[in-house]
Amino acid sequence: MHVRPTLLAPAGDLETFQAALNAGADAIYLGLDEGFNARARARNFSLEQLPGLVRRARLAGVELNVTLNTLLFESELDALEHNLREVARAGVDAIIVQDPAVALIAKALCPELVLHASTQMTLSSPQSVRFAETLGIQRVVLPRELSVEDIAHICANTELETEVFVHGALCVSWSGQCLSSEAWGGRSANRGVCAQACRMPYTLEVDGAER
């Protein structure tokens, strides 16, 4: 049976948010100025704006997801709790997480929140997807490095929803495990400040020959 896929689009400001609505996106995801999203250096939205964005999405019949998809330090747990409660109060459809601790805390504080596992959680096998299920995850965003055959194998071995990228840069290293940004520039990709080494020009040398 063929099921029409849901088309999820990113938004970084009101202009791109409206563009996603106009273009027919089924769902939109966005990050918060208050932190814990993997695009901390990009334009984002405030918690104060969130209820209004949810209303606009509802009127258009579009789902709205919020990213809380970085690794956390223990000193940030109070701030995380505040964000989670405000996100839940706004009525978003789901949050996208990387850190297993965020999933566990969200289920404890705001059990009504639907949890999606970010591609940065590196769920690249049926076994890892089963681990995510124990965290209360309902959808897994698979790593961009997987082949169609890899994706089919995972889908055949899980009841969870699966999501894949159809457009976007491919990480230089395995999604969620890339340390090149921090190694080269002291900016952690898993803390929202990736230097985007994947967008730099490269040459490839194979057996001594440039390809």
Side-chain angles (χ1 to χ4, degrees):
M1 183 178 71
H2 294 283
V3 179
R4 179 184 176 276
T6 295
L7 182 61
L8 174 66
D13 55 25
L14 290 174
E15 183 179 3
T16 53
F17 184 89
Q18 188 60 48
L21 295 180
N22 294 344
D26 301 298
I28 294 173
Y29 72 93
L30 54 85
L32 298 172
D33 291 327
E34 285 79 4
F36 310 120
N37 80 85
R39 295 178 177 176
R41 298 175 66 247
R43 289 179 294 182
N44 293 294
F45 295 91
S46 68
L47 282 171
E48 185 179 359
Q49 291 176 285
L50 200 52
L53 295 170
V54 171
R55 286 193 294 271
R56 288 178 63 174
R58 291 282 185 276
L59 288 172
V62 171
E63 294 182 2
L64 185 61
N65 301 337
V66 169
T67 56
L68 294 170
N69 58 341
T70 61
L71 299 179
L72 266 73
F73 294 130
E74 191 171 351
S75 60
E76 298 170 321
L77 293 179
D78 288 342
L80 172 68
E81 178 179 350
H82 172 72
N83 281 16
L84 283 170
R85 293 191 187 280
E86 291 301 311
V87 166
R89 188 174 291 114
V92 304
D93 291 283
I95 61 171
I96 304 170
V97 305
Q98 174 186 11
D99 196 323
V102 178
L104 293 173
I105 293 169
K107 293 305 290 185
L109 294 177
C110 309
E112 71 276 19
L113 280 174
V114 174
L115 304 180
H116 295 177
S118 168
T119 184
Q120 291 146 315
M121 201 177 273
T122 323
L123 303 176
S124 55
S125 68
Q127 294 87 345
S128 61
V129 172
R130 284 195 286 273
F131 164 72
E133 193 169 3
T134 68
L135 302 173
I137 298 294
Q138 296 182 34
R139 179 188 297 178
V140 295
V141 186
L142 298 175
R144 284 162 280 185
E145 296 82 3
L146 297 184
S147 67
V148 173
E149 291 76 16
D150 293 331
I151 293 169
H153 177 60
I154 290 174
C155 291
N157 287 278
T158 182
E159 296 295 320
L160 298 185
E161 295 180 356
T162 52
E163 180 181 315
V164 295
F165 281 80
V166 295
H167 178 73
L170 186 67
C171 290
V172 175
S173 186
W174 201 270
S175 294
Q177 305 298 319
C178 182
L179 301 177
S180 61
S181 174
E182 184 158 11
W184 297 340
R187 290 157 49 182
S188 172
N190 295 312
R191 295 281 296 167
V193 286
C194 181
Q196 299 186 341
C198 47
R199 287 171 168 79
M200 296 178 182
Y202 291 91
T203 55
L204 182 65
E205 189 174 290
V206 181
D207 297 330
E210 190 174 296
R211 298 275 292 276

